[in-house]
Amino acid sequence: MRIATDMYRDKLRVLEYLYSLDQVRTLTSHAKGVGEDDGAGDPASAQSRDKMAGTDRFVKNLLERRGPVKLKANFLTTVFAQRVAGTVFEFHLSDKFEPYAIIIAFDPDSDNLLVQLSTRQLDGLDKARRDFMQRYKLPDMGYHYTPLQERLETDRFVAENSVARSSKAHSTVFHLKMRVPDAFYRSHLPALQAARAAELSGLDPVVYNYSRPVATWDETEAALRRDALG
């Protein structure tokens, strides 16, 4: 069903926050006509990615690197994004039945997510965090941060034991989980509004995710600064 470009941009918040309506029209026109096969080695898919990256190199961060041209799954649940002093901070809702917004960071001139932030970028993260709460009138409910050393140890374990990367306990890249109200989480994931959320809340994985320990921002910031680059 064809919908208006402005509605498409509005519902895909990562596009709303990072691109103008004219830019979205240009990007979608470059992606047009790509087949629905697996896209492995597909010249049409590669050409479309190159055209989109020619419009804005940063767009390569948002796309799956193989297969048909499409957004990475986590960007389908983006609720906020902001560029601060050259770094993009993106907030998306967790897909693990847990009321958290996950914050990741990009260098717009790079093709990769950041693994470690500088002290200056931490200042930008703090600004983006406060602007996100102000945008949605959210309380400051706590944070869950996986330290850099733990992420690197997970990488080493995977490499040394030939474990599938998809089964890793932690992503290598920088990510910060920010607790959000249950009602906010449900309201921004329309599928959950149709599900029986009350019944799901009693299942073991959901109970664990909801009970994940959180720290205050001051405690979290101290841990972040211990991991920061000069």
Side-chain angles (χ1 to χ4, degrees):
M1 179 178 177
R2 179 67 165 89
I3 59 174
T5 303
D6 53 356
M7 177 182 176
Y8 180 75
R9 173 176 172 266
D10 177 65
K11 296 303 180 183
L12 286 179
R13 292 298 179 85
V14 72
L15 300 180
E16 177 191 357
Y17 281 110
L18 297 177
Y19 298 104
S20 69
L21 188 55
D22 285 343
Q23 286 175 306
V24 172
R25 288 194 180 99
T26 301
L27 292 173
T28 53
S29 69
H30 287 333
K32 189 176 181 181
V34 177
E36 292 301 320
D37 57 19
D38 65 7
D42 176 15
S45 295
Q47 186 179 53
S48 291
R49 287 187 182 85
D50 289 343
K51 285 183 179 179
M52 295 173 79
T55 301
D56 182 350
R57 183 176 178 181
F58 176 69
V59 76
K60 291 183 71 174
N61 290 292
L62 308 180
L63 301 176
E64 293 286 2
R65 300 200 175 193
R66 295 179 63 82
V69 176
K70 60 182 181 180
L71 286 170
K72 293 177 181 177
N74 56 282
F75 295 123
L76 299 178
T77 61
T78 295
V79 287
F80 188 74
Q82 188 176 78
R83 297 189 189 217
V84 184
T87 301
V88 174
F89 297 97
E90 184 269 349
F91 297 60
H92 60 271
L93 297 181
S94 173
D95 61 359
K96 296 180 179 178
F97 290 99
E98 57 181 2
Y100 286 88
I102 301 174
I103 310 169
I104 55 178
F106 302 90
D107 175 352
D109 295 323
S110 169
D111 294 338
N112 297 304
L113 291 161
L114 297 179
V115 173
Q116 193 173 9
L117 303 187
S118 68
T119 53
R120 183 185 179 193
Q121 287 168 327
L122 287 180
D123 293 336
L125 170 64
D126 185 28
K127 180 183 185 305
R129 172 191 71 91
R130 288 183 279 107
D131 287 350
F132 168 62
M133 289 191 294
Q134 182 177 9
R135 163 70 177 78
Y136 291 106
K137 304 296 188 291
L138 299 176
D140 195 357
M141 298 181 66
Y143 305 82
H144 183 85
Y145 173 61
T146 302
L148 176 63
Q149 186 61 34
E150 187 174 341
R151 286 180 272 138
L152 296 178
E153 288 173 357
T154 300
D155 272 359
R156 281 195 291 271
F157 177 82
V158 168
E160 293 169 2
N161 293 275
S162 300
V163 177
R165 295 189 67 83
S166 59
S167 65
K168 286 174 56 178
H170 304 295
S171 171
T172 308
V173 301
F174 167 82
H175 58 285
L176 175 63
K177 290 193 172 187
M178 178 178 181
R179 182 71 159 87
V180 295
D182 296 3
F184 175 83
Y185 182 72
R186 290 196 303 272
S187 68
H188 286 79
L189 289 179
L192 289 184
Q193 296 173 34
R196 297 176 179 175
E199 295 180 12
L200 290 174
S201 65
L203 300 178
D204 286 344
V206 179
V207 170
Y208 169 76
N209 289 338
Y210 268 67
S211 62
R212 187 188 303 275
V214 294
T216 66
W217 172 248
D218 287 346
E219 294 167 334
T220 303
E221 184 181 27
L224 289 167
R225 293 197 179 277
R226 285 193 293 271
D227 281 347
L229 294 165

